[in-house]
DNA sequence: TCTATTTCGGACAAGAATATCCTAAATTAT
DNA sequence: ATAATTTAGGATATTCTTGTCCGAAATAGA
């Protein structure tokens, strides 16, 4: 469904958010250990999140990553997905015709439409904070 | 959502089905032209469909590909998807934890679950014939 | 100022997906 | 039989994604 990068991006953001909730800044090492992702690759992911102003990065000793309360509240899952995978998931569903529209639909169009819209709606209404809270409360997990 | 291979696989099957409906056997050339896909690559796709007994292939002059009425009726979209992409789409949704379960859910689990199940249900209930009919009747299209 | 820590960013490597090419095998028609 | 057509399948190429490596830049503390 999502690219590996996007999956790591979501996990990393949520891990950072859950820690920022508690006032803790976290390092690349922390993150890649706790979300079970390759360290060097995760560094790239974090750079991208940082450039997209989803998280904040601080260099130097006792540096690391954090996310502002404002961002946690305002940013949605859709923002992260968009940063990594673009809006493909909203457009090129089904069998990937170049231009999709209702007036010249592909055979699976009507069947996929609802699902696609439900997914879109879910991503656009779920905030980082919503998801991070479950982590903080120990109700959900980022690795097994 | 699906791999390119899977998309071609779906399109090819539907094109063949729509033609088998009219008693026409179609060749690789026909198919790749009408679904707008790279010919050599499409040949591989057709081989896979054939090995998976989704379509039938006939060699030699006036050979080509066709699909039986029985297969059109019995086979679902899910069979094609499974042949190309496995059952990933049913398992590794959301952020791709290795083992997914309700008792140790990832943060997006509850939100993704419904969507995933709806997708699964749709794929498992949509037959090749359902989709091919729309094509035959000129209501839906495989290229623009 | 010097050192240690930590992110940044460019270059490179490995792997997977996508795509092409060419020859073999089967089948039909002549 | 021979030639023409069409699928089968192995080898190879290209492109994209995923992943690693290493030195530069920033920053905190001694
Ligand atoms: S399902 Fe609709 S939107 Fe998706 S590829 Fe087909 S025509 Fe386009
Ligand atoms: S949403 Fe559920 S099933 Fe999907 S990866 Fe997360 S825990 Fe697993």
């Amino acid at each position: 469904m999502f690219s590996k990068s996007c999956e790591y991006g979501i996990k990393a953001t949520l891990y950072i958010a859950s820690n920022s909730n508690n006032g803790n800044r976290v390092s690349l090492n922390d993150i890649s250990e706790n979300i079970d992702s390759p360290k060097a690759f995760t560094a790239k992911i974090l750079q991208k999140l940082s450039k997209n102003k989803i998280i904040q990065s601080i260099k130097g000793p006792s540096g690391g990553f954090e996310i502002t309360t404002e961002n946690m509240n305002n940013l949605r899952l859709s923002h992260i997905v968009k940063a990594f995978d673009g809006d493909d998931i909203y457009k090129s569903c089904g069998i990937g015709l170049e231009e999709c529209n209702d007036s010249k639909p592909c055979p699976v169009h009507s069947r996929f439409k609802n699902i696609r819209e439900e997914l879109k709606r879910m991503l656009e209404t779920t905030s980082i904070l919503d998801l991070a809270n479950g982590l903080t409360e120990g109700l959900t997990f980022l690795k097994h």
Side-chain angles (χ1 to χ4, degrees), chain A residues 18-88:
Chain A
S18 165
N19 277 278
S20 286
N21 253 341
N22 299 335
N24 294 124
R25 184 180 294 167
V26 289
S27 71
L28 167 61
N29 272 313
D30 280 338
I31 297 169
S32 83
E33 259 172 46
N34 281 285
I35 71 174
D36 216 18
S37 64
K39 193 169 137 186
F41 192 56
T42 307
K44 302 294 187 197
I45 304 294
L46 292 167
Q47 275 177 48
K48 189 158 202 171
L49 286 168
S50 181
K51 277 188 188 162
N52 279 270
K53 317 244 182 213
I54 292 170
I55 61 174
Q56 265 198 306
S57 74
I58 299 96
K59 280 183 184 172
S62 83
F65 300 89
E66 54 189 33
I67 181 167
T68 62
T69 316
E70 209 193 339
N71 270 4
M72 266 191 258
N73 260 300
N74 294 339
L75 290 180
R76 311 285 143 148
L77 216 34
S78 61
H79 291 107
I80 304 180
V81 171
K82 184 157 192 176
F84 288 98
D85 292 354
D87 37 22
D88 258 25

Side-chain angles (χ1 to χ4, degrees), chain A residues 106-143:
Chain A
C106 81
V108 302
H109 181 73
S110 67
R111 290 174 173 81
F112 267 100
K113 199 179 175 185
N114 286 342
I115 292 169
R116 170 169 72 165
E117 275 167 8
E118 211 180 313
L119 174 63
K120 186 169 191 259
R121 197 180 143 280
M122 185 276 278
L123 293 175
E124 286 176 350
T125 56
T126 304
S127 75
I128 308 299
L129 185 62
D130 291 339
L131 299 175
N133 279 340
L135 275 179
T136 308
E137 290 162 19
L139 299 174
T140 60
F141 305 85
L142 286 171
K143 60 181 238 183

Side-chain angles (χ1 to χ4, degrees), chain A residues 91 93-97 100-101 105-106 108-109 112 116:
Chain A
K91 288 194 201 158
C93 78
I95 59 177
L97 300 187
C100 301
N101 54 61
C106 81
V108 302
H109 181 73
F112 267 100
R116 170 169 72 165

Side-chain angles (χ1 to χ4, degrees), chain A residues 4-21:
Chain A
K4 220 75 183 136
S5 296
C6 187
E7 290 182 1
Y8 293 150
I10 295 172
K11 287 194 212 179
T13 304
L14 296 183
Y15 179 72
I16 295 165
S18 165
N19 277 278
S20 286
N21 253 341

